[in-house]
Amino acid sequence: MRHDHIISAKQLSRGDIETVLDHAADIAADPGAFADRHSDTLLGMLFFEPSTRTKMSFTTAMKRLGGDIVDMGSVESSSVKKGESLADTVRVVEGYTDALVLRHPMEGSAKMASEFVDVPLVNAGDGAGQHPTQTLLDLYTIRENAGFDDLTIGIMGDLKYGRTVHSLAHALTTVDARQHFISPESLQLPRSVRYDLHEAGAEVREHTDLDEILPDLDVLYVTRIQAERFPDESEYREVAGQYQIDADTLAAAKDDLTVMHPLPRVDEIAHDVDETTHAQYFQQAHNGVPVRMALLDLMLGGDK
Amino acid sequence: MSDNDQQLRVSKIRNGTVIDHIAGGQALNVLAILGIDGTSGDSVSVAMNMPSDRLGHKDVVKVEGRELSQDEVDVLSLIASAATINIIRDYDVVEKRRVERPSVVEGVLECPNHNCITTEDEPVDSRFAVGDDGVRCEYCDTIIRDDLPAHILAE
Ligand SMILES: [Zn+2]
C-alpha cells in the first residue's frame, strides 16, 4: 500500500483494504511486538471540532506504536485564532510533526489540507464528507464476524448526513457486498453516493421498513437519526421509533447476525441487545486502535 | 439569409474571437464563465436571440482584441456545447475551434454546498470534475446537474 494521505475510503482498493486489515490482525494478535516501532514519531492532532473518541483512539494507536502526539487543543482555547486559514495552520504544524490527523467541520477540508503538506495526512472526519479510518475499522469488524464472501448487509438510520455510511457503502462495493439501505424517505442516500454505487455496479436496494429485509442480513449497521434533521419534533418522533431495535426485534434475524454502530448511540439500539451475541459495537470501537496502528505503521513506512 | 450574414450585420471585428451558436439567452452566462465583465477594456458585442436554422434562437458574442485559449473555449462547453468559435485576425477567420468538454474546470463554478471548504476564505480554487450529465466538486463530492449558470463564480 502506498498512499501519502488517507482522505477518502474511495481511494482504497480491495488490496489496500486487505493489507490494512491483515496488518491490524497481526497487531491485535501481538501488540507488544509493535511497541517500539515508531519511537521517534510525533503525530500532530488537529481537531477543529470535538471528537473525544476518535482523538483518543488515534492517540492510543500512536502511543502503542511507541510514538507520541502533539495536540493543538480545542479550537476555542488554542492559539489557532479564528481567521487563520486551515491551509496556513497545517503548513505550520507539519513543521513540528511526522504525520497529521485532521478533523474539521467542513467537507473537503482534508483533501484541501493535504494539498499543502508533504507529511502524510489522515482524514479523521470532514463535516458530512468522509471518515476513512472509521470505515476501515468497520470493515475489520465485518470481516472478523461475517467475512467478505457472499455478504448481505443492512445499513439503517440517517443515510443522508451520515458520513460513516457514505464511506462504508463505497468500500463495500470493493467486496461485492449486497447492500440494503433502510431509512425514512427524507434521509435516504445523497445523490453523489447513489451515483457512485451505481457506477461501481453495486447491488443496492432501499427500504423504509427493516422487517422487509432483516431475516436476510448477515450484518445490520445502525446509525442515529438526529432530531435536528426534522423540521418539527413531532415528525421526528413519528419516524424515529421505526428505526430503533431491541432484543425482540432481532428474534426475526439470523442467529449469527452481527449488529454494529459507530457510536455514540442514544436510543436506536436498546440496552437489552448488548447482552445478545449479535452485539459487536463495543468490539467495533476497540478495533479502532489496532486498525489505526496498522494504518499509521503502513503510512509511516512499516515493512509491508 | 445565412447565419454568416447576420453575424456580419451585428458588427465586424478586426482581431479577436467570435462565439457563435450559443443557445438563446445564454450569452451573458458565457461572458460570466469567461470572466469578461467589460472592466478590462475589451470591446465586447452581444447579440441575443437571433434567428438560427440550427438552434431556433441563438446568441452571438464578439470579443475584440482577445483570442480565447482552448482552455477557455472548453469551459464554455458546460453551458454552450453547440457553440462555434472563430478566431479573427485582420477581419478574416484564421481558425475555427471546437468546443470540447474538459475533464476538470477550476475556479469557474462555485460549490453549492455551503459547508464545502472551497466556499471559505482558503487559498484554493473550486475544482469540478466534468461528467457526462453534470459536474462534481472534487472536494466535497456535491454534484450539479441542472442550472449550471446559477453557480458561475462572480468575479
Ligand atoms: Zn464542494
Side-chain angles (χ1 to χ4, degrees):
Chain A
M1 194 187 85
R2 190 67 221 134
H3 289 296
D4 293 333
H5 307 296
I6 303 294
I7 305 301
S8 161
K10 275 187 265 182
Q11 76 189 84
L12 300 172
S13 67
R14 169 97 189 230
D16 290 338
I17 291 167
E18 301 270 8
T19 300
V20 176
L21 302 195
D22 289 348
H23 197 42
D26 290 346
I27 289 170
D30 186 9
F34 297 84
D36 297 319
R37 190 96 153 168
H38 292 284
S39 48
D40 293 330
T41 300
L42 268 181
L43 184 63
M45 304 289 278
L46 299 170
F47 277 62
F48 286 82
E49 62 178 15
S51 173
T52 311
R53 287 154 199 263
T54 302
K55 197 191 228 177
M56 281 184 73
S57 179
F58 271 106
T59 302
T60 306
M62 193 67 252
K63 293 195 171 185
R64 292 251 185 242
L65 289 168
D68 209 340
I69 61 141
V70 285
D71 184 349
M72 77 172 192
S74 71
V75 176
E76 299 75 37
S77 67
S78 81
S79 60
V80 180
K81 293 278 190 293
K82 206 172 159 63
E84 183 180 46
S85 70
L86 174 60
D88 280 3
T89 304
V90 295
R91 278 183 286 194
V92 170
V93 181
E94 88 161 313
Y96 308 154
T97 59
D98 303 295
L100 297 170
V101 177
L102 175 68
R103 160 74 68 116
H104 193 279
M106 301 198 83
E107 285 98 76
S109 51
K111 179 169 170 57
M112 188 209 76
S114 73
E115 292 170 358
F116 289 91
V117 296
D118 291 323
V119 299
L121 183 144
V122 184
N123 183 4
D126 59 335
Q130 294 278 328
H131 194 0
T133 62
Q134 176 72 44
T135 298
L136 286 165
L137 74 90
D138 291 343
L139 293 169
Y140 184 85
T141 309
I142 291 167
R143 193 175 76 165
E144 291 240 289
N145 285 279
F148 284 160
D149 296 330
D150 198 30
L151 174 68
T152 302
I153 181 168
I155 303 179
M156 180 169 87
D158 180 352
L159 309 180
K160 186 171 185 181
Y161 300 99
R163 63 184 163 210
T164 58
V165 169
H166 307 161
S167 291
L168 180 62
H170 204 277
L172 286 168
T173 64
T174 69
V175 299
D176 297 323
R178 286 180 291 277
Q179 302 185 55
H180 294 269
F181 294 94
I182 306 125
S183 73
E185 268 172 33
S186 59
L187 296 177
Q188 284 177 343
L189 289 173
R191 179 147 83 178
S192 62
V193 178
R194 285 160 189 260
Y195 181 83
D196 286 339
L197 294 178
H198 179 75
E199 284 288 289
E203 197 178 322
V204 167
R205 287 188 48 201
E206 295 183 85
H207 310 262
T208 52
D209 191 351
L210 175 64
D211 297 342
E212 277 173 29
I213 191 63
L214 180 62
D216 294 346
L217 300 179
D218 302 308
V219 173
L220 175 60
Y221 192 103
V222 183
T223 68
R224 188 155 63 93
I225 293 177
Q226 290 167 280
E228 59 265 33
R229 301 297 184 205
F230 291 84
D232 66 77
E233 179 84 24
S234 64
E235 205 177 318
Y236 162 71
R237 263 184 271 112
E238 201 171 297
V239 159
Q242 295 172 38
Y243 300 94
Q244 290 165 353
I245 60 165
D246 57 24
D248 285 345
T249 317
L250 298 180
K254 287 183 185 174
D255 290 341
D256 62 353
L257 171 75
T258 298
V259 175
M260 296 171 61
H261 191 297
L263 301 180
R265 69 174 154 175
V266 178
D267 53 5
E268 55 277 11
I269 301 178
H271 290 284
D272 63 3
V273 177
D274 301 358
E275 310 308 322
T276 70
T277 54
H278 302 299
Q280 287 296 329
Y281 25 90
F282 292 112
Q283 186 57 42
Q284 180 187 355
H286 297 165
N287 289 340
V289 172
V291 168
R292 290 185 171 110
M293 286 173 75
L295 189 69
L296 290 169
D297 188 35
L298 292 165
M299 288 179 77
L300 294 165
D303 291 341
K304 287 205 177 175
Chain B
M1 201 189 291
S2 74
D3 282 1
N4 249 348
D5 293 336
Q6 285 170 358
Q7 199 175 303
L8 291 172
R9 218 171 50 183
V10 179
S11 71
K12 236 176 157 183
I13 64 174
R14 179 173 185 150
N15 294 302
T17 307
V18 176
I19 308 163
D20 198 357
H21 299 108
I22 300 165
Q26 290 292 322
L28 297 178
N29 290 325
V30 165
L31 291 175
I33 219 166
L34 295 174
I36 296 170
D37 61 2
T39 57
S40 66
D42 295 334
S43 158
V44 179
S45 44
V46 175
M48 296 181 80
N49 292 314
M50 314 276 289
S52 158
D53 294 341
R54 187 137 64 96
L55 300 173
H57 288 91
K58 67 169 187 178
D59 291 0
V60 181
V61 169
K62 301 185 183 200
V63 186
E64 176 91 51
R66 179 166 159 197
E67 295 185 7
L68 297 181
S69 70
Q70 189 64 45
D71 281 354
E72 290 175 302
V73 167
D74 287 346
V75 168
L76 281 181
S77 70
L78 298 179
I79 57 166
S81 55
T84 53
I85 286 85
N86 299 297
I87 306 291
I88 314 290
R89 284 182 205 146
D90 221 8
Y91 299 108
D92 280 333
V93 176
V94 294
E95 199 178 326
K96 283 182 182 287
R97 291 205 176 138
R98 291 206 69 83
V99 169
E100 276 179 49
R101 283 173 89 73
S103 56
V104 172
V105 289
E106 271 190 79
V108 173
L109 300 168
E110 180 169 42
C111 186
N113 173 8
H114 297 303
N115 206 41
C116 176
I117 194 73
T118 62
T119 66
E120 287 290 282
D121 192 13
E122 294 284 345
V124 282
D125 284 334
S126 73
R127 194 159 73 223
F128 285 81
V130 179
D132 293 338
D133 58 351
V135 300
R136 178 177 184 144
C137 176
E138 295 213 328
Y139 289 90
C140 77
D141 278 338
T142 296
I143 292 174
I144 313 175
R145 279 223 174 111
D146 320 305
D147 204 19
L148 270 177
H151 302 291
I152 295 169
L153 266 170
E155 280 299 299

